[in-house]
Amino acid sequence: MTISVNNQTLEVEAQTLLSNVVFNQLGENSKGIAVAINGQVIPKTSWQETVVSENDDILIIKATQGG
């Protein structure tokens, strides 16, 4: 099935968990990460139980330090 992650089209298997999508994009470092699906923020505690759907628009934002 097709999803969009940060404006990139990706093909994933049906029943793919959001946690797997985040891991595939960022590796194990998920500290300081916020994720939204179709404009709705998904708490990190729900990533392991949230299944992505066809045509979902996923936005992954990583906090950065600056000064």
Side-chain angles (χ1 to χ4, degrees):
M1 78 183 168
T2 303
I3 62 172
S4 173
V5 178
N6 291 358
N7 296 317
Q8 282 190 311
T9 302
L10 296 177
E11 292 291 326
V12 296
E13 294 184 21
Q15 302 299 312
T16 296
L17 294 174
L18 179 58
S19 58
N20 292 344
V21 174
V22 173
F23 178 81
N24 288 337
Q25 294 296 306
L26 302 174
E28 292 191 35
N29 186 9
S30 64
K31 289 186 178 185
I33 302 297
V35 178
I37 298 178
N38 303 322
Q40 180 178 349
V41 175
I42 308 298
K44 188 172 185 176
T45 55
S46 298
W47 293 0
Q48 291 276 347
E49 56 201 39
T50 301
V51 177
V52 298
S53 300
E54 178 78 25
N55 297 319
D56 272 351
D57 184 20
I58 300 171
L59 179 63
I60 301 174
I61 299 172
K62 183 170 184 167
T64 59
Q65 294 179 345

